[in-house]
Amino acid sequence: MNPKFLHAANPGPMTGGGNWTYLIGDRNPVLVDAGVGHASHLDAIAAAAPRGLSQVLVTHAHSDHVSGAPAIHARWPAAQFKKYPWPSETGNRGPGTRDSEIAWTWLEDGSIVETDEGPLSVLHTPGHAPDHLTFWHAGSRTLFVGDMLVQGSTVVIPATHGGSLAAYLRSLERMLLLNPARALPAHGPVIEDPAALIHKYVEHRAEREVQVLGALAEGTSTVDAITATIYPSLMAALVPMARESVLAHLQKLEGEGRVSRDGDRWTLTT
Ligand SMILES: [Zn+2]
């Protein structure tokens, strides 16, 4: 497996240096993630796939991964577009592309996508987003991880927008069981030791959970107050993200019956 790395040309506060997309194969090229439709990304795809594009696989419907789909469709109308449906979707169109003419083919856990370099197995790995897919190339033990892993950083669990920490941790466990040799993420460098990063993530979340439980034990009960306790000197711009993380922890603990909620107050279950 030797995919071409194509940058989506979309650096920004939410995407860091911008998104990586990956082009697999020569005869029937498959693109992993659609970027945002930047002209230089489209030109890079055209240069890397002179015979045209066969399929576009989208890891999840966050805009930096899917919003380029209409532009790609306009330039390569024969390409098939595939993703997992967002839970609220009933029609045949993905979020962010409702006005486009894209007819999505829905993938599910266990689907197989054929490429020139062998089959990709599709894993449904919710947590960061409810529709998140991870693509596994067993031949080279390569995992296309979208936003599930980012080297040198943790991953946002947007608790108010379909994120679930419990689901995320289960998804990481599944990824670990594959024993991947490398992971190709949408952000940041290639992850050469995915297992080590996953272990670090699990440890980090466990430490945060202890902090959240500690705050609750001291009688701190709202998301805002718990966030201020755990992240005492956070820049204002980062507070919303920290709140999402605290809420994600509380929802996980609620699911386990360890905390309960009354309006916006959270308490330890006694
Ligand atoms: Zn995302």
Side-chain angles (χ1 to χ4, degrees):
M1 167 65 66
N2 195 18
K4 292 172 183 143
F5 290 45
L6 304 180
H7 200 264
N10 61 327
M14 293 303 289
T15 63
N19 286 51
W20 287 110
T21 71
Y22 298 97
L23 191 78
I24 303 165
D26 250 347
R27 256 171 13 101
N28 303 290
V30 176
L31 182 70
V32 177
D33 270 349
V36 299
H38 197 286
S40 69
H41 185 221
L42 300 179
D43 290 346
I45 297 168
R51 301 181 204 196
L53 205 51
S54 167
Q55 301 184 65
V56 180
L57 311 180
V58 169
T59 57
H60 63 298
H62 288 164
S63 65
D64 53 327
H65 303 260
V66 75
S67 65
I72 293 173
H73 170 68
R75 189 136 161 194
W76 293 277
Q80 290 182 296
F81 286 77
K82 301 182 175 180
K83 66 182 288 297
Y84 191 93
W86 194 267
S88 62
E89 280 184 280
T90 50
N92 193 25
R93 289 174 190 184
T97 57
R98 287 200 173 82
D99 298 322
S100 77
E101 292 309 308
I102 292 167
W104 289 95
T105 298
W106 298 135
L107 295 171
E108 56 186 22
D109 192 67
S111 294
I112 302 289
V113 175
E114 296 296 340
T115 80
D116 293 340
E117 300 204 37
L120 296 177
S121 307
V122 176
L123 275 82
H124 181 217
T125 51
H128 167 72
D131 62 340
H132 202 295
L133 294 177
T134 301
F135 303 105
W136 172 235
H137 184 255
S140 62
R141 313 200 69 73
T142 300
L143 196 56
F144 294 85
V145 295
D147 282 356
M148 294 296 292
L149 303 177
V150 184
Q151 190 73 58
S153 167
T154 56
V155 166
V156 178
I157 307 298
T160 60
H161 292 88
S164 162
L165 181 56
Y168 180 66
L169 292 171
R170 282 196 298 274
S171 295
L172 291 182
E173 286 294 326
R174 286 192 70 196
M175 290 160 59
L176 199 55
L177 286 175
L178 297 171
N179 191 23
R182 64 172 176 164
L184 302 184
H187 304 277
V190 173
I191 297 156
E192 301 290 357
D193 190 350
L197 184 59
I198 291 172
H199 287 306
K200 228 167 102 176
Y201 277 1
V202 171
E203 205 176 299
H204 167 79
R205 300 291 174 177
E207 284 167 11
R208 275 279 180 264
E209 182 168 290
V210 168
Q211 291 179 311
V212 170
L213 289 168
L216 290 167
E218 285 168 16
T220 312
S221 66
T222 65
V223 171
D224 282 335
I226 295 168
T227 304
T229 304
I230 296 179
Y231 305 87
S233 51
L234 202 59
M235 284 191 300
L238 298 177
V239 169
M241 220 107 92
R243 288 184 86 264
E244 292 287 321
S245 176
V246 167
L247 181 59
H249 276 283
L250 290 167
Q251 289 175 346
K252 171 182 177 286
L253 290 164
E254 184 183 31
E256 295 166 355
R258 297 165 71 190
V259 307
S260 43
R261 175 181 202 161
D262 180 10
D264 64 354
R265 302 183 72 80
W266 297 80
T267 49
L268 290 173
T269 308
T270 45

